[in-house]
């Protein structure tokens, strides 16, 4: 007798600012995977899992989309967000004929997960992912600007290479809806080494203007010169050796 495929629902939680996290909760067969993991570990003082944000899971890269090439997706995290000391839940997503398979569960902190392999009917899975991707009710204007600006800046490899920088992220906070933060690293690829590196922060005001127009203007302004000249040093390892001493 054939086994019925698993079912997936993606629930976007959007509590008021300051009252919780904006997150996507994967519901498989009517059960919240992250809540189940939290309950299992709660008795031993283990982690409580928070779902990854919709900007990541449902954003332009479409990480939940399944193809024949398997890839990992981070479904949630716990604690401070540093994966090696707290926890994170990764799953490998792949297309297998008429099914989408979730398997290969992994936690960089080394905690073992006994979650089973899930197999979803591909048509229903894709329809649910597309539905969730089209649900933008969680967005606010600054988040839209941040998404558009990040996509534009990542496409400007010439600008990043010219100043020997790497774009870490473009952040938007619901608690501060009139600003976004752009974070750069210089030089690229050194954050996990013993070599000096510097992290720079640029805080940009956001208005009620059209988000697309704002993103275009901000991209033009940022890429007009060396971003390190006006950015604030906010992190790194021994940045003084690169000519950027701590204030």
């Amino acid at each position: 007798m054939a086994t019925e495929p698993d079912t997936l629902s993606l629930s976007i939680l959007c509590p008021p600012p300051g009252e919780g996290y904006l997150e996507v909760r994967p519901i498989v067969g009517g059960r919240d995977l992250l809540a189940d993991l939290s309950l299992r570990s709660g008795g031993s003082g283990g982690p409580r899992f928070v779902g990854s944000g919709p900007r990541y899971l449902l954003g332009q890269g479409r990480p939940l989309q399944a193809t024949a090439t398997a890839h990992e997706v981070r479904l949630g995290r716990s604690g401070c967000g540093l994966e090696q000391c707290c926890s994170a839940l990764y799953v490998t997503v792949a297309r297998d004929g008429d099914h989408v398979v979730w398997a290969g569960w992994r936690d960089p902190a080394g905690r073992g997960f006994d979650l089973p392999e899930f197999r979803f009917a591909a048509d229903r899975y894709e329809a649910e992912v597309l539905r969730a991707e089209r649900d933008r009710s969680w967005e606010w204007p600054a988040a839209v600007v941040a998404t558009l600006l990040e996509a534009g800046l990542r496409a400007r490899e010439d600008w990043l290479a010219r100043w020997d920088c790497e774009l870490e992220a473009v952040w938007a906070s619901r608690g501060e809806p009139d600003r976004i933060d752009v974070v750069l690293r210089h030089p690229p690829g050194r954050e996990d080494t013993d070599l000096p590196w510097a992290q720079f922060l640029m805080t940009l005001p956001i208005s009620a203007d059209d988000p697309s127009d704002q993103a275009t203007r901000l991209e033009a302004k940022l890429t007009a010169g060396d971003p390190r000249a006006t950015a604030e040093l906010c992190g790194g390892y021994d940045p003084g050796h690169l000519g950027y001493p701590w204030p």
Side-chain angles (χ1 to χ4, degrees):
M1 180 171 142
T3 303
E4 287 294 317
D6 296 298
T7 60
L8 175 69
S9 176
L10 299 169
S11 177
I12 303 175
L13 300 188
C14 189
E19 296 184 17
Y21 295 98
L22 182 63
E23 55 180 316
V24 178
R25 309 288 295 195
I27 313 297
V28 178
R31 298 181 66 88
D32 185 324
L33 289 185
L34 301 177
D36 278 357
L37 286 176
S38 299
L39 287 172
R40 290 184 203 178
S41 60
S44 58
R48 175 187 178 275
F49 285 89
V50 174
S52 293
R55 191 174 164 209
Y56 162 67
L57 274 185
L58 307 174
Q60 293 181 344
R62 304 196 69 199
L64 288 177
Q65 185 180 27
T67 66
T69 302
H71 63 280
E72 271 198 330
V73 179
R74 190 173 84 164
L75 294 180
R77 62 171 179 80
S78 71
C80 67
L82 295 176
E83 298 180 353
Q84 282 70 30
C85 69
C86 293
S87 280
L89 177 64
Y90 281 86
V91 66
T92 297
V93 179
R95 180 71 179 260
D96 181 18
D98 293 332
H99 293 90
V100 173
V101 179
W102 281 13
W105 303 94
R106 184 177 70 88
D107 176 11
R111 296 183 176 87
F113 293 125
D114 59 351
L115 290 169
E117 174 184 286
F118 295 117
R119 300 184 69 90
F120 308 99
D123 55 347
R124 294 184 181 180
Y125 177 93
E126 291 169 354
E128 174 59 12
V129 171
L130 182 60
R131 179 205 64 78
E133 289 174 344
R134 289 175 173 172
D135 180 1
R136 313 310 290 183
S137 60
W138 56 270
E139 282 188 319
W140 63 103
V144 180
V145 175
T147 298
L148 295 172
L149 179 60
E150 182 169 5
L153 292 178
R154 291 197 184 280
R156 291 294 306 271
E157 295 181 359
D158 58 330
W159 170 66
L160 293 168
R162 184 185 315 145
W163 307 112
D164 201 16
C165 287
E166 178 180 14
L167 179 63
E168 181 174 332
V170 182
W171 300 106
S173 169
R174 291 185 300 144
E176 298 173 306
D178 58 351
R179 57 178 276 186
I180 61 175
D181 292 329
V182 178
V183 183
L184 298 173
R185 287 192 296 264
H186 163 77
R190 288 191 175 182
E191 64 275 13
D192 294 324
T193 73
D194 292 330
L195 298 172
W197 60 281
Q199 184 184 56
F200 294 95
L201 169 69
M202 292 172 284
T203 298
L204 307 174
I206 299 301
S207 68
D209 294 346
D210 178 76
S212 181
D213 291 343
Q214 289 190 76
T216 299
R217 291 198 302 267
L218 290 172
E219 180 183 339
K221 180 179 179 180
L222 289 175
T223 58
D226 185 348
R228 299 167 298 178
T230 56
E232 172 190 353
L233 179 69
C234 65
Y237 174 72
D238 202 10
H241 273 74
L242 298 172
Y244 302 100
W246 292 109

